[in-house]
């Protein structure tokens, strides 16, 4: 997969070179190109924002640098299939595991990180005439910019690419893989500070272990995230 990021804070993406995602980069499973939006400005101050048309608080990201940055992205794939553009915005569609799975199957993703009160709305409108566009939100709260959201989305997506995780079986049972929260997990010792590992997990009965885990996952989901359960 080729991953590109367009941001006014390229340094935010340095942590992607660490850990499992860094290993995927080293192994060539993923290529990462971080572009500085300010490189696509032409004034002395490298301005990327301006006051909102119609008035109001805050600043809006100007369309011209975004247009030139996206032109540079498209210039790399002349005549070929365009990348999918992910625009991070608190007004986007919720980013869920299903979305991460869909995006993990694509060859080329470009993350556009908004700052301030957002990006001029003509940018996604124009981009949609050239490439698939997804406007995505990390959750129902406001961040100062899309960089942290893009980092989280990239991690959720890249770990699903075959070969990135050491043990792909761990993807099957984790929270959200089957629409439920994950059951509680235990390791040794069997008794710790007066708290015991549930008997069934030490029984060796695989069927009973599976049934217990399913019941625990359902009970936990009903208690913490009833919105995840079917009607
Ligand atoms: Cl994607 N961006 C910003 N600025 N805030 C957010 C978000 C994104 N997702 C949740 N809050």
């Amino acid at each position: 997969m080729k991953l590109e990021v367009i941001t006014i804070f390229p340094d935010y993406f340095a942590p992607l070179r660490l850990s499992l995602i860094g290993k995927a980069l080293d192994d060539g499973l993923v290529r990462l190109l971080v572009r500085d939006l300010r490189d696509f400005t032409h004034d002395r101050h490298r301005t990327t924002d301006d006051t909102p048309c119609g008035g109001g608080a805050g600043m809006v990201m100007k369309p011209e640098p975004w247009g030139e940055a996206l032109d540079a992205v498209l210039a790399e794939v002349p005549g070929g299939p365009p990348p999918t553009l992910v625009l991070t915005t608190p007004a986007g569609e919720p980013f869920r595991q299903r979305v991460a799975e869909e995006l993990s199957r694509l060859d080329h993703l470009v993350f556009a990180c908004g700052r301030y009160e957002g990006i001029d709305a003509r940018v996604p409108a124009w981009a949609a005439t050239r490439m698939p566009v997804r406007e995505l939100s990390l959750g129902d709260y406001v961040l100062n910019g899309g960089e942290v959201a893009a980092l989280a989305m990239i991690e959720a997506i890249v770990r699903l690419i075959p070969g990135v995780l050491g043990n792909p079986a761990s993807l099957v049972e984790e929270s959200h893989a089957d629409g439920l929260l994950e059951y509680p997990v235990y390791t040794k010792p069997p008794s710790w500070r007066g708290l015991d590992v549930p008997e069934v997990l030490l029984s060796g009965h695989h069927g009973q272990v599976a049934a217990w885990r399913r019941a625990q996952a359902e009970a936990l989901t009903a208690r913490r995230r009833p919105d995840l359960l079917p009607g």
Side-chain angles (χ1 to χ4, degrees):
M1 174 186 281
K2 176 161 191 191
L3 267 177
E4 297 185 67
V5 179
I6 309 169
T7 171
I8 59 170
F9 291 120
D11 292 347
Y12 261 98
F13 296 88
L16 289 175
R17 313 266 170 203
L18 304 172
S19 190
L20 276 175
I21 308 297
K23 175 134 194 316
L25 293 173
D26 292 343
D27 292 349
L29 290 169
V30 179
R31 282 183 300 151
L32 176 67
L33 175 59
V34 181
R35 298 174 188 269
D36 188 339
L37 182 68
R38 293 195 196 277
D39 292 344
F40 301 95
T41 61
H42 302 288
D43 64 308
R44 203 155 54 84
H45 300 290
R46 313 225 297 160
T47 310
T48 55
D49 63 332
D50 204 341
T51 55
C53 291
M59 299 292 272
V60 175
M61 295 191 99
K62 296 160 59 62
E64 303 96 318
W66 283 108
E68 291 196 26
L70 294 174
D71 288 345
V73 165
L74 290 170
E76 273 173 42
V77 289
T84 293
L85 180 66
V86 175
L87 267 143
T88 57
T89 162
E93 164 200 1
F95 179 76
R96 297 203 172 92
Q97 192 67 16
R98 294 295 159 273
V99 178
E101 284 162 8
E102 265 175 62
L103 297 181
S104 75
R105 290 191 283 266
L106 301 177
D107 284 333
H108 191 178
L109 293 177
V110 178
F111 283 81
C113 302
R115 278 265 146 186
Y116 314 112
E117 302 305 308
I119 303 174
D120 186 302
R122 291 169 291 182
V123 171
W126 176 84
T129 68
R130 297 289 190 281
M131 63 195 108
V133 176
R134 303 284 296 261
E135 294 193 56
L136 296 176
S137 164
L138 200 57
D140 295 338
Y141 39 80
V142 178
L143 305 169
N144 285 336
E147 283 77 9
V148 167
L151 269 177
M153 292 178 196
I154 288 169
E155 180 159 317
I157 292 164
V158 169
R159 65 192 291 284
L160 298 176
I161 296 171
V164 171
L165 284 200
N167 179 6
S170 52
L171 290 176
V172 177
E173 302 214 340
E174 65 192 6
S175 288
H176 303 295
D178 59 358
L180 295 175
L181 302 184
E182 196 184 9
Y183 48 79
V185 296
Y186 299 85
T187 183
K188 293 164 276 297
S191 187
W192 176 77
R193 297 191 178 186
L195 301 169
D196 294 341
V197 173
E199 196 72 59
V200 61
L201 299 181
L202 306 171
S203 69
H205 289 112
H206 297 302
Q208 283 176 29
V209 168
W212 181 87
R213 286 177 168 168
R214 178 80 198 179
Q216 290 284 316
E218 284 172 1
L220 185 65
T221 307
R223 186 150 41 84
R224 251 180 222 169
R225 294 294 308 277
D227 57 297
L228 294 179
L229 294 173

